[in-house]
């Protein structure tokens, strides 16, 4: 039997996070995001060489930092330019749960011009996440007008 090029249950794009303390990160994601652990491959000195979680219908891979291989997490790099977006059924409750588990809310959840309730958090390992719940459909023209209004308001500050 021929193997599928993309394994069952996987999507074309899968985040692969590097964490200082991957075992702790797994527990955080379970508590804060409702993640389920699919696999964990420990290596030498107890470091996690590879792990996979499911958050909703998506997979997230992660591993411990391995500086000797050039594999560093956001804390070692003094931040991350990457934000991972999560669509969830209730962004407000999701962000509340994540904050209670130790995430830092960097942008409170609010209704946005593109039709989502949307906010941002940073997890204790330095990874940035945006969280949204689509609450209304917005036409491209409405979105463009609302974006220009927002930009004009910010520009006047």
């Amino acid at each position: 039997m021929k193997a599928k090029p993309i394994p069952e249950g996987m999507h074309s794009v899968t985040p692969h996070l590097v964490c200082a303390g991957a075992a702790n990160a797994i527990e955080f994601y379970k508590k804060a995001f409702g993640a389920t652990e699919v696999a964990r491959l420990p290596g030498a000195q107890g470091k996690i060489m590879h792990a996979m979680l499911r958050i909703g219908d998506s997979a997230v891979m992660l591993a411990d930092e391995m500086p000797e291989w050039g594999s560093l997490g956001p804390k070692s790099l003094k931040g991350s330019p990457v934000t991972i977006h999560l669509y969830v059924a209730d962004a407000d409750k999701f962000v509340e749960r994540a904050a209670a588990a130790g995430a830092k809310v960097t942008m409170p959840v609010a209704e946005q011009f593109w039709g989502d309730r949307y906010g941002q958090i940073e997890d204790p390992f330095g990874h940035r996440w945006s969280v949204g719940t689509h609450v209304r459909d917005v036409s491209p023209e409405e979105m463009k007008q609302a974006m220009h209004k927002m930009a004009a308001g910010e520009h006047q500050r």
Side-chain angles (χ1 to χ4, degrees):
M1 185 162 113
K2 186 178 177 192
K4 290 182 176 185
I6 299 173
E8 194 66 39
M10 297 299 287
H11 300 292
S12 297
V13 176
T14 303
H16 191 157
L17 308 178
V18 176
C19 302
N24 292 333
I26 290 169
E27 295 311 311
F28 171 81
Y29 296 135
K30 287 178 181 178
K31 184 176 180 182
F33 295 179
T36 56
E37 186 174 336
V38 176
R40 183 187 299 219
L41 299 172
Q45 292 89 37
K47 285 191 173 189
I48 294 179
M49 302 298 288
H50 172 77
M52 186 164 64
L53 305 175
R54 287 220 168 267
I55 300 173
D57 67 354
S58 299
V60 175
M61 297 179 189
L62 65 124
D64 265 303
E65 284 190 322
M66 311 235 178
E68 64 277 17
W69 295 347
S71 183
L72 300 170
K75 293 228 172 183
S76 293
L77 296 170
K78 310 247 186 292
S80 173
V82 176
T83 299
I84 304 165
H85 184 71
L86 299 169
Y87 266 117
V88 299
D90 186 330
D92 294 273
K93 285 183 182 174
F94 190 96
V95 169
E96 283 177 27
R97 180 178 68 192
K104 176 179 149 188
V105 177
T106 57
M107 178 184 180
V109 175
E111 192 157 332
Q112 302 297 326
F113 68 86
W114 58 85
D116 289 359
R117 283 198 58 74
Y118 174 93
Q120 294 182 0
I121 59 176
E122 183 177 304
D123 70 33
F125 308 92
H127 295 285
R128 298 170 44 167
W129 302 80
S130 58
V131 181
T133 299
H134 191 67
V135 294
R136 65 185 174 87
D137 293 327
V138 179
S139 73
E141 187 56 36
E142 287 175 294
M143 194 179 305
K144 185 177 177 182
Q145 288 174 2
M147 183 179 67
H148 286 301
K149 277 185 185 177
M150 182 189 77
E154 287 183 358
H155 184 32
Q156 292 173 352
R157 289 183 192 163

